[in-house]
Amino acid sequence: MVNKEIARQFSLLASLLELHGENAFKTKAYSNAYLILRKWDIPLSTMSPSEIGAIPGIGSSVISKINELLSTGQMDALEKLKAKTPEGIQQLLSIKGLGPKKIRTICDALQIESAAELLYACNENRLVKLPGFGYKTQEDLSQKIRYYLESEHKYLFANIEEDLAEAIRSLREAFPLHRFEWAGSFATFSPVVERIECVVSPLIDADQFSLISQIKLERVSESGSIELLWDERLRISVYAVPASAFMNTWIQHTWDKGLYEKTDAQQQASVFGHPSEILAHTHFKGLPAELWDKPGIEMASPSYWEDLINVEDIEGILHNHSDWSDGIHTLEEMAVFVQAQGFKYFAICDHSRSAFYANGLSAEKVVEQMNEIDRLNQRMAPFRIFKGIESDILGDGSLDYEPEILALFDLIVASIHSNLRMDESRAMSRLIKAIENPYTRILGHPTGRLLLSRQGYPIDHRKVIDACAANGVAIELNANPLRLDIDYTWMDYCMEKEVWVSINPDAHSRGQVEYVRYGVLAARKGGLRKASCLNALPPDRFEQWLKRK
């Protein structure tokens, strides 16, 4: 069990304790454990109980429950709470902005036990008279429930990558004479996988899948797909076909329709045994998997994908946090780790002072941190640490410090973190003013979205990108798998307007530096070239860019 999953178990435990009105001290302890463990980058499964106990903020009760999870795969206290909590109410806990206290108020008053029932209650205006609610709260909640229901049974690529690697190994071991391959949006590295699809040949009886302990056979659909549940969490659609139909079936479920027709894939699949051979034979040699499902890709020439950004092209790691604000590791630990990974420069961008929830830096703390950076730069040269900040974009669009403080930074990433309930006009007003600020160098996660969890505030992407072009501001593709914001579908327009795209991990620990890989996958899916990626610049050219504005 990986750290993120362990952390999620403590988050659910804390929420269910609060929902049932249990001990507030325990609730707080488990909630803190979630916040700590989700950022911890050393696998807990490799640590001894004493090493786990040495993690700051982790007490004896949490340690025993971590050991229980690692040894049995579950937590007895959590299982007891889940047993007395209807599944529909557990699902309500997944809706952003709907905490345990609100859920308890709603359920006690309206006898609601599912998201669908709650949406109906919103439509009937049944929440407006409840304590702490009103028309605006009800409308906001209604939108969030719709988003939750639309996102149900979808998955973040990063969250299922390891699970599906294990699943395919288990399938191949159980059926060594069969060929299994992931198809669909997982095979094309889509940030959000709407359906997990697998093709297998030769034909296999659905009941045989029940031989694998992690698999539950749910049904055989009318279209003939075998619907499985892996590890009680992941729904998988399996297409079992004769060997002669394997390649064509896989391509049908994976490639864009235009590419399928342009390459005459149905005919070619009977001749070639691998999609790369079909692509090479039909003038699409080297077309990467990320672009197989891109609408209109059949009209592109090979020059479109010849210089796509690769992880190996990334020279510097920008937009990172340390324990000066809400990161896990010290500034030195972060810098040493980034250097050890082979990168040539690093920008620390801790939170600014208005981000009180993230221990944002006062002006005095900014100067102290800059002094530490100077000392580290002397010792670590030629590796370079740039002095940055992730400045909150305030309600009026201004940045978070006086000009004399802003002028001290090498790099300012301007981001919105507060007052997210905005219409497009308000959001655009804040963003454009921040972009036009002479100290802004990168616009951070432009929509504020959290994939499958929170919709971003509405913006006019073209006007935002146009403003960045006019003001020499780069735009961030935040590589955290929950964000991947700006969306990859805007890479072409960024390149058209000659706006630099900065692929930033927004790392809050050493391990999260690796998020840059997910940002690169998304950027490639949008067709981003190396020449348009800001942090693919070598150190001297990046420094020149910083000084240009």
Side-chain angles (χ1 to χ4, degrees):
M1 186 175 288
V2 298
N3 291 3
K4 286 182 182 178
E5 180 57 30
I6 293 172
R8 283 194 290 267
Q9 298 293 307
F10 280 102
S11 177
L12 180 56
L13 177 60
S15 295
L16 290 177
L17 284 170
E18 187 176 355
L19 180 67
H20 290 286
E22 299 286 351
N23 186 292
F25 178 78
K26 285 185 178 179
T27 300
K28 183 68 173 175
Y30 297 139
S31 180
N32 286 339
Y34 160 71
L35 295 173
I36 294 166
L37 297 176
R38 68 175 181 158
K39 298 177 184 176
W40 195 252
D41 64 342
I42 301 173
L44 293 166
S45 58
T46 67
M47 299 173 66
S48 68
S50 61
E51 289 173 328
I52 294 174
I55 299 173
I58 298 298
S60 58
S61 177
V62 173
I63 295 171
S64 65
K65 286 177 170 55
I66 291 174
N67 291 332
E68 187 182 359
L69 281 169
L70 292 173
S71 59
T72 69
Q74 61 182 31
M75 194 190 302
D76 185 59
L78 177 57
E79 295 305 313
K80 287 178 179 177
L81 284 168
K82 289 166 67 175
K84 67 177 185 178
T85 310
E87 185 177 347
I89 292 180
Q90 293 181 46
Q91 291 173 341
L92 292 178
L93 291 167
S94 301
I95 300 174
K96 282 285 179 184
L98 190 59
K101 289 181 180 178
K102 283 186 177 180
I103 293 174
R104 190 165 59 186
T105 298
I106 292 168
C107 293
D108 289 348
L110 304 178
Q111 304 302 304
I112 281 171
E113 293 191 353
S114 72
E117 288 178 349
L118 182 52
L119 181 60
Y120 181 79
C122 289
N123 293 340
E124 295 291 308
N125 292 317
R126 295 178 186 175
L127 272 66
V128 294
K129 295 182 179 180
L130 297 182
F133 290 85
Y135 283 107
K136 286 187 177 180
T137 302
Q138 179 180 264
E139 180 58 28
D140 179 62
L141 185 56
S142 177
Q143 292 177 3
K144 288 176 178 175
I145 296 168
R146 288 191 183 95
Y147 184 69
Y148 169 79
L149 292 173
E150 290 169 1
S151 302
E152 200 173 13
H153 305 318
K154 297 178 183 178
Y155 309 91
L156 294 183
F157 176 90
N159 286 355
I160 62 174
E161 189 177 16
E162 289 185 12
D163 293 299
L164 294 192
E166 179 188 347
I168 204 83
R169 281 196 300 269
S170 297
L171 289 167
R172 289 168 177 166
E173 288 173 4
F175 307 103
L177 300 181
H178 285 73
R179 180 181 181 184
F180 290 88
E181 298 290 348
W182 296 121
S185 55
F186 182 76
T188 59
F189 304 101
S190 294
V192 173
V193 177
E194 298 197 2
R195 188 177 187 182
I196 302 174
E197 300 175 279
C198 183
V199 180
V200 56
S201 69
L203 290 167
I204 188 171
D205 188 88
D207 291 333
Q208 289 184 263
F209 288 106
S210 299
L211 299 173
I212 301 177
S213 60
Q214 295 105 314
I215 286 180
K216 176 185 175 183
L217 175 62
E218 293 207 308
R219 65 189 177 94
V220 177
S221 71
E222 292 182 3
S223 63
S225 65
I226 302 169
E227 304 298 317
L228 308 176
L229 187 65
W230 172 267
D231 204 22
E232 298 185 354
R233 294 184 301 111
L234 307 181
R235 286 177 166 79
I236 302 175
S237 298
V238 177
Y239 311 110
V241 297
S244 60
F246 182 92
M247 185 52 59
N248 184 52
T249 303
W250 183 89
I251 292 174
Q252 279 186 312
H253 287 279
T254 307
W255 287 7
D256 179 70
K257 184 179 179 181
L259 181 64
Y260 179 83
E261 293 176 349
K262 180 79 171 182
T263 57
D264 191 17
Q266 184 171 6
Q267 175 62 33
Q268 299 295 337
S270 63
V271 179
F272 299 101
H274 195 275
S276 63
E277 296 174 341
I278 297 174
L279 292 169
H281 183 74
T282 53
H283 311 294
F284 289 91
K285 184 177 181 180
L287 181 69
E290 294 92 335
L291 296 178
W292 288 342
D293 60 351
K294 182 180 176 69
I297 191 63
E298 75 279 2
M299 305 300 293
S301 66
S303 61
Y304 182 80
W305 59 84
E306 282 178 353
D307 191 35
L308 295 188
I309 186 70
N310 285 298
V311 172
E312 296 77 18
D313 297 324
I314 302 297
E315 300 255 0
I317 299 295
L318 310 180
H319 187 176
N320 305 277
H321 299 264
S322 71
D323 65 355
W324 280 86
S325 63
D326 62 342
I328 287 288
H329 295 104
T330 67
L331 171 56
E332 182 174 1
E333 287 171 335
M334 291 291 290
V336 168
F337 179 83
V338 169
Q339 183 186 41
Q341 303 309 301
F343 299 107
K344 297 175 183 175
Y345 54 94
F346 170 71
I348 192 70
C349 295
D350 277 310
H351 286 284
S352 63
R353 64 185 173 191
S354 291
F356 58 88
Y357 52 86
N359 196 30
L361 274 60
S362 65
E364 294 75 19
K365 288 288 186 182
V366 165
V367 175
E368 289 179 32
Q369 188 186 69
M370 287 183 174
N371 290 334
E372 182 182 356
I373 292 171
D374 286 337
R375 291 192 294 271
L376 288 171
N377 274 332
Q378 284 184 350
R379 198 172 81 231
M380 298 178 69
F383 183 80
R384 176 74 186 276
I385 304 170
F386 290 97
K387 301 168 182 175
I389 198 78
E390 184 179 19
S391 172
D392 268 31
I393 298 174
L394 304 181
D396 64 355
S398 60
L399 300 187
D400 198 12
Y401 296 103
E402 295 77 14
E404 56 267 25
I405 300 298
L406 295 173
L408 297 175
F409 295 106
D410 298 317
L411 173 68
I412 292 176
V413 177
S415 308
I416 292 178
H417 292 109
S418 59
N419 301 321
L420 303 181
R421 299 178 187 176
M422 299 179 288
D423 59 21
E424 184 175 314
S425 175
R426 176 78 191 285
M428 290 298 294
S429 175
R430 287 176 75 180
L431 289 172
I432 298 300
K433 185 173 179 181
I435 292 167
E436 291 175 344
N437 190 301
Y439 293 105
T440 299
R441 299 307 279 119
I442 299 176
L443 177 64
H445 46 76
T447 74
R449 74 181 184 184
L450 296 176
L451 290 170
L452 301 185
S453 181
R454 180 179 75 203
Q455 283 182 302
Y457 37 81
I459 69 171
D460 185 325
H461 280 82
R462 288 182 180 271
K463 288 183 178 178
V464 167
I465 295 168
D466 289 347
C468 287
N471 290 276
V473 171
I475 200 160
E476 176 179 78
L477 196 168
N478 189 294
N480 185 312
L482 277 168
R483 290 192 183 275
L484 295 175
D485 181 17
I486 187 170
D487 193 80
Y488 69 86
T489 54
W490 290 99
M491 294 297 100
D492 282 336
Y493 193 67
C494 286
M495 289 187 292
E496 178 185 332
K497 292 297 179 177
E498 298 184 348
V499 171
W500 289 101
V501 175
S502 186
I503 302 174
N504 301 338
D506 195 358
H508 286 67
S509 68
R510 292 176 302 196
Q512 290 181 2
V513 171
E514 296 177 4
Y515 283 169
V516 74
R517 171 175 171 262
Y518 297 112
V520 168
L521 285 174
R524 287 172 59 84
K525 198 161 186 61
L528 185 72
R529 297 184 182 89
K530 174 184 175 181
S532 297
C533 179
L534 178 66
N535 49 325
L537 289 175
D540 56 341
R541 287 194 58 203
F542 175 70
E543 191 165 3
Q544 289 171 13
W545 177 82
L546 283 178
K547 292 177 178 178
R548 261 172 44 194
K549 187 171 179 179

